[in-house]
Amino acid sequence: MEEWDVVIVGAGPAGLTAGIYCGRAKVKTVILEAMSPGGQVLTAGAIENYPGFPGGISGPELMGRFLQQVKELEVPVKEFCQVQRATLSKDRLLLETSSGAFGCKALIIAAGAQPAKLRVPGEDRYIGQGVSFCATCDGFFFRGKEVAVIGGGDRAAEEALYLSNIAERVYLVHRRDRLRAQRLLQEQVLRNPKITPLWRKVVEEVLGDQGGVKALKLKDPSSGESSTLEVEGVFVAVGQVPATEPFRGLVELDERGFIKTDDRCATSCKGVFAAGDVRAKDLRQVSTAVGDGAIAASSAIAYVESL
Ligand code: NAP
């Protein structure tokens, strides 16, 4: 069993920031990452609202810089290390992972979130054959084709804008008659001639054949009227599911599975802190994840020093 002062779960913006703070405080820290460092930000084409980068910066480049800073502080990042279960035993936290067991005095959960599914017939069947959750990953397959983006938040707006540079036409299918995305993104979407919003429409089914997606079956929830939209790609952007399953039972979650914290990022379990998209909060941005990471790390450092 490896013993550490602080274990950070997740190497997205929140986890890497926490790593920088713990590294600078000379606290014995390791970061465990289920995939490769960077988190969901790796799928962002351009980040235009993170201060210090006028004109924007690509997600991978920004995360590369975070990681470089962590490495300069000699905080190890263990990749492809999936946490399966976390428990508390007296003052010691135990983590069972795909790469063995870890013990620590303080735990920072910064495991992030994954895209939510629509949960309609055909969605799972056509994943990789027209259904995608990431325009920057899969958009190039749809050059010159007609595609749909589902959702009305920041992510849906960004996916639609990204795809408008590739696809022939982008239908933005939303269940309300206005977007919830930031005003600037809304304006960019609504004045983009390649994006056609389809208001008050819910997806009932993804239709296709052996060749992949061919259409969406839509329904107007107020009139009950059904329609078919012919598209070859469907980009689902209907929110996030937090990666909190391994911590269920250890910390208190809200009704959607996000971790409840106080304003020092402390959870209901002593010695356990949460940062970034896993935390129950209003604004999920790189900048707020960075703020969380700094607060969670300073709380964890103070906790370790108090033992
Ligand atoms: P979100 O803000 O939760 O928006 C999800 C959208 O999907 C909402 O418009 C919602 O509709 C719709 N929706 C949910 N379930 C649906 C269903 N079953 N069928 C059809 N539509 C459904 O999620 P997000 O856009 O993924 O963003 C997640 C977080 O990351 C947000 O805090 C966001 O601000 C942040 N983010 C920020 C940026 C940025 O700053 N540039 C970029 C991406 C994401 P309703 O409107 O009716 O609820």
Side-chain angles (χ1 to χ4, degrees):
M1 158 123 35
E2 292 192 27
E3 289 291 345
W4 298 84
D5 284 338
V6 178
V7 171
I8 299 168
V9 179
L16 291 174
T17 301
I20 291 166
Y21 277 70
C22 289
R24 288 174 60 82
K26 302 278 179 207
V27 171
K28 195 183 169 209
T29 301
V30 65
I31 303 176
L32 310 181
E33 166 56 48
M35 308 282 281
S36 297
Q40 286 204 88
V41 183
L42 292 179
T43 66
I47 297 170
E48 294 176 352
N49 57 2
Y50 189 68
F53 297 95
I57 181 168
S58 81
E61 191 186 344
L62 183 61
M63 288 301 94
R65 290 179 184 222
F66 278 44
L67 186 60
Q68 185 186 344
Q69 210 166 340
V70 167
K71 286 187 171 163
E72 282 171 7
L73 290 161
E74 297 178 356
V75 175
V77 180
K78 290 193 191 281
E79 297 184 29
F80 304 104
C81 177
Q82 177 92 48
V83 175
Q84 288 144 351
R85 193 157 167 262
T87 48
L88 176 71
S89 171
K90 296 196 179 131
D91 276 342
R92 197 156 153 271
L93 291 145
L94 300 172
L95 298 175
E96 292 164 31
T97 82
S98 56
S99 309
F102 292 76
C104 59
K105 296 172 184 163
L107 171 64
I108 298 175
I109 306 170
Q114 294 128 18
K117 287 185 175 180
L118 278 169
R119 300 185 183 280
V120 297
E123 181 184 37
D124 282 343
R125 174 170 174 201
Y126 293 111
I127 287 176
Q129 278 193 288
V131 172
S132 169
F133 297 83
C134 174
T136 51
C137 316
D138 301 326
F140 70 94
F141 292 118
F142 300 91
R143 184 163 298 283
K145 297 182 174 172
E146 303 215 327
V147 300
V149 173
I150 321 299
D154 286 338
R155 179 111 190 159
E158 287 189 343
E159 298 279 88
L161 288 166
Y162 182 85
L163 288 163
S164 71
N165 294 316
I166 300 171
E168 172 63 23
R169 173 130 317 271
V170 180
Y171 295 97
L172 182 56
V173 179
H174 186 35
R175 62 187 180 183
R176 295 184 198 276
D177 56 5
R178 54 183 302 220
L179 302 174
R180 71 159 65 219
Q182 300 160 38
R183 184 63 62 86
L184 188 68
L185 288 174
Q186 289 194 30
E187 286 171 5
Q188 288 173 353
V189 163
L190 297 177
R191 68 164 180 257
N192 187 313
K194 302 233 352 231
I195 301 175
T196 305
L198 297 179
W199 305 117
R200 288 184 297 276
K201 296 275 184 287
V202 293
V203 177
E204 286 203 308
E205 188 173 354
V206 181
L207 306 168
D209 59 22
Q210 290 86 336
V213 169
K214 292 284 177 275
L216 285 175
K217 188 176 170 198
L218 304 177
K219 187 175 180 180
D220 182 323
S222 41
S223 69
E225 195 180 309
S226 290
S227 56
T228 303
L229 177 69
E230 289 187 11
V231 285
E232 289 179 70
V234 181
F235 289 83
V236 180
V238 295
Q240 304 287 311
V241 179
T244 49
E245 265 320 297
F247 311 101
R248 200 174 274 280
L250 179 72
V251 293
E252 195 181 342
L253 308 178
D254 73 5
E255 65 288 348
R256 294 191 303 150
F258 292 93
I259 300 173
K260 292 186 179 180
T261 64
D262 67 11
D263 56 9
R264 294 296 304 158
C265 289
T267 70
S268 59
C269 179
K270 72 174 178 173
V272 183
F273 306 87
D277 285 1
V278 283
R279 199 164 79 77
K281 61 178 183 176
D282 287 336
L283 193 59
R284 294 194 165 79
Q285 312 267 301
V286 178
S287 54
T288 61
V290 164
D292 283 359
I295 293 168
S298 65
S299 298
I301 294 162
Y303 177 77
V304 168
E305 286 173 351
S306 75
L307 291 177

